[in-house]
Amino acid sequence: LGLAQVSDPGAVRAACETAIAAEPAAAAAVRAGKPEAFGRLMGAAMKALKGKGDPAAVKSTLTDLLR
């Protein structure tokens, strides 16, 4: 049915890196301690994964990449 979540670490990481590159202002804001900008990055990463990304994996990967 095409409802499977994407939790492959390589695919999730690539989508998160794409999201950070596409939204540099949001990434800078998160790094500066403004967590409200995190949702924009989460949305961009999920869009890159066509809505099929595992939200927990995306959140964890984004958090790691933004440290």
Side-chain angles (χ1 to χ4, degrees):
L1 294 172
L3 300 176
Q5 284 189 328
V6 175
S7 57
D8 170 52
V12 170
R13 184 176 181 92
C16 289
E17 289 171 347
T18 299
I20 290 169
E23 298 287 349
V30 172
R31 288 184 177 122
K34 296 184 176 150
E36 59 274 3
F38 193 82
R40 189 162 184 85
L41 293 171
M42 212 36 207
M46 292 300 279
K47 183 177 179 184
L49 290 167
K50 298 183 173 94
K52 295 182 181 180
D54 175 12
V58 173
K59 183 177 180 180
S60 174
T61 303
L62 276 173
T63 301
D64 290 344
L65 290 172
L66 292 169
R67 284 194 182 142

